Short mmCIF file of all heavy atoms in Angstrom, two decimals:
data_model
loop_
_atom_site.label_atom_id
_atom_site.label_comp_id
_atom_site.label_asym_id
_atom_site.label_seq_id
_atom_site.Cartn_x
_atom_site.Cartn_y
_atom_site.Cartn_z
N SER A 4 5.53 23.22 -7.43
CA SER A 4 4.93 23.81 -6.23
C SER A 4 3.93 24.91 -6.55
O SER A 4 3.25 25.40 -5.67
CB SER A 4 6.03 24.36 -5.31
OG SER A 4 6.76 25.37 -5.98
N SER A 5 3.85 25.34 -7.82
CA SER A 5 2.89 26.38 -8.18
C SER A 5 1.53 25.80 -8.56
O SER A 5 0.65 26.52 -9.02
CB SER A 5 3.43 27.22 -9.34
OG SER A 5 3.51 26.45 -10.52
N LYS A 6 1.34 24.52 -8.40
CA LYS A 6 0.05 23.89 -8.69
C LYS A 6 -0.94 24.17 -7.56
O LYS A 6 -0.63 23.97 -6.38
CB LYS A 6 0.21 22.38 -8.87
CG LYS A 6 1.21 21.96 -9.94
CD LYS A 6 0.68 22.25 -11.32
CE LYS A 6 1.66 21.70 -12.37
NZ LYS A 6 1.20 21.95 -13.74
N TRP A 7 -2.13 24.59 -7.93
CA TRP A 7 -3.17 24.88 -6.94
C TRP A 7 -4.32 23.90 -7.07
O TRP A 7 -4.73 23.55 -8.17
CB TRP A 7 -3.72 26.29 -7.16
CG TRP A 7 -2.78 27.38 -6.75
CD1 TRP A 7 -1.81 27.97 -7.52
CD2 TRP A 7 -2.73 28.04 -5.48
NE1 TRP A 7 -1.16 28.95 -6.82
CE2 TRP A 7 -1.71 29.02 -5.56
CE3 TRP A 7 -3.44 27.91 -4.29
CZ2 TRP A 7 -1.38 29.85 -4.49
CZ3 TRP A 7 -3.13 28.73 -3.23
CH2 TRP A 7 -2.11 29.70 -3.32
N ALA A 8 -4.87 23.50 -5.92
CA ALA A 8 -6.07 22.66 -5.88
C ALA A 8 -7.13 23.40 -5.08
O ALA A 8 -6.88 23.86 -3.95
CB ALA A 8 -5.78 21.31 -5.24
N LEU A 9 -8.31 23.53 -5.66
CA LEU A 9 -9.45 24.16 -5.00
C LEU A 9 -10.43 23.08 -4.59
O LEU A 9 -10.91 22.30 -5.43
CB LEU A 9 -10.12 25.15 -5.96
CG LEU A 9 -11.44 25.79 -5.51
CD1 LEU A 9 -11.27 26.57 -4.20
CD2 LEU A 9 -11.99 26.70 -6.60
N LEU A 25 -3.28 15.68 -1.73
CA LEU A 25 -2.71 16.57 -2.74
C LEU A 25 -1.62 17.45 -2.15
O LEU A 25 -0.61 17.74 -2.80
CB LEU A 25 -3.81 17.41 -3.38
CG LEU A 25 -4.87 16.64 -4.20
CD1 LEU A 25 -5.89 17.61 -4.77
CD2 LEU A 25 -4.22 15.84 -5.32
N ALA A 26 -1.81 17.88 -0.90
CA ALA A 26 -0.78 18.69 -0.24
C ALA A 26 0.51 17.91 -0.10
O ALA A 26 1.61 18.46 -0.24
CB ALA A 26 -1.29 19.16 1.13
N GLY A 29 2.70 18.31 -3.12
CA GLY A 29 3.17 19.61 -3.55
C GLY A 29 2.13 20.62 -3.98
O GLY A 29 2.48 21.72 -4.39
N PHE A 30 0.87 20.27 -3.91
CA PHE A 30 -0.17 21.23 -4.28
C PHE A 30 -0.36 22.28 -3.18
O PHE A 30 -0.31 21.96 -1.99
CB PHE A 30 -1.51 20.53 -4.51
CG PHE A 30 -1.63 19.83 -5.82
CD1 PHE A 30 -1.20 18.52 -5.97
CD2 PHE A 30 -2.18 20.47 -6.93
CE1 PHE A 30 -1.31 17.86 -7.17
CE2 PHE A 30 -2.30 19.81 -8.14
CZ PHE A 30 -1.86 18.50 -8.27
N LYS A 31 -0.61 23.50 -3.59
CA LYS A 31 -1.13 24.51 -2.68
C LYS A 31 -2.64 24.33 -2.63
O LYS A 31 -3.27 24.11 -3.66
CB LYS A 31 -0.78 25.90 -3.17
CG LYS A 31 0.71 26.20 -3.21
CD LYS A 31 0.96 27.58 -3.81
CE LYS A 31 2.45 27.85 -3.94
NZ LYS A 31 2.70 29.17 -4.60
N ILE A 32 -3.20 24.42 -1.43
CA ILE A 32 -4.59 24.03 -1.23
C ILE A 32 -5.45 25.24 -0.84
O ILE A 32 -5.08 26.03 0.04
CB ILE A 32 -4.70 22.96 -0.12
CG1 ILE A 32 -3.79 21.76 -0.40
CG2 ILE A 32 -6.15 22.53 0.06
CD1 ILE A 32 -4.15 20.97 -1.62
N ILE A 33 -6.60 25.35 -1.51
CA ILE A 33 -7.64 26.31 -1.10
C ILE A 33 -8.88 25.49 -0.76
O ILE A 33 -9.36 24.72 -1.58
CB ILE A 33 -7.98 27.30 -2.23
CG1 ILE A 33 -6.74 28.07 -2.67
CG2 ILE A 33 -9.09 28.26 -1.77
CD1 ILE A 33 -6.96 28.87 -3.95
N ALA A 59 1.11 24.79 1.92
CA ALA A 59 0.28 25.99 1.87
C ALA A 59 -1.20 25.62 1.88
O ALA A 59 -1.66 24.86 1.03
CB ALA A 59 0.61 26.79 0.62
N LEU A 60 -1.94 26.15 2.85
CA LEU A 60 -3.38 25.91 2.95
C LEU A 60 -4.08 27.22 3.26
O LEU A 60 -3.73 27.93 4.21
CB LEU A 60 -3.68 24.89 4.06
CG LEU A 60 -5.16 24.75 4.46
CD1 LEU A 60 -5.97 24.21 3.29
CD2 LEU A 60 -5.31 23.83 5.67
N PHE A 61 -5.09 27.54 2.45
CA PHE A 61 -5.90 28.73 2.65
C PHE A 61 -7.35 28.28 2.72
O PHE A 61 -7.81 27.57 1.81
CB PHE A 61 -5.68 29.72 1.51
CG PHE A 61 -4.24 30.10 1.31
CD1 PHE A 61 -3.43 29.33 0.48
CD2 PHE A 61 -3.69 31.19 1.97
CE1 PHE A 61 -2.09 29.66 0.30
CE2 PHE A 61 -2.36 31.52 1.81
CZ PHE A 61 -1.55 30.76 0.97
N GLU A 87 -0.73 32.67 -11.16
CA GLU A 87 -0.79 31.21 -11.22
C GLU A 87 -2.22 30.75 -11.53
O GLU A 87 -3.14 31.56 -11.60
CB GLU A 87 -0.26 30.60 -9.93
CG GLU A 87 1.23 30.94 -9.74
CD GLU A 87 1.81 30.44 -8.44
OE1 GLU A 87 1.04 30.11 -7.52
OE2 GLU A 87 3.03 30.36 -8.34
#
Side-chain angles (χ1 to χ4, degrees):
S4 61
S5 67
K6 304 289 185 180
W7 287 88
L9 173 59
L25 295 180
F30 282 87
K31 296 176 184 177
I32 306 295
I33 302 169
L60 169 64
F61 305 88
E87 297 177 342

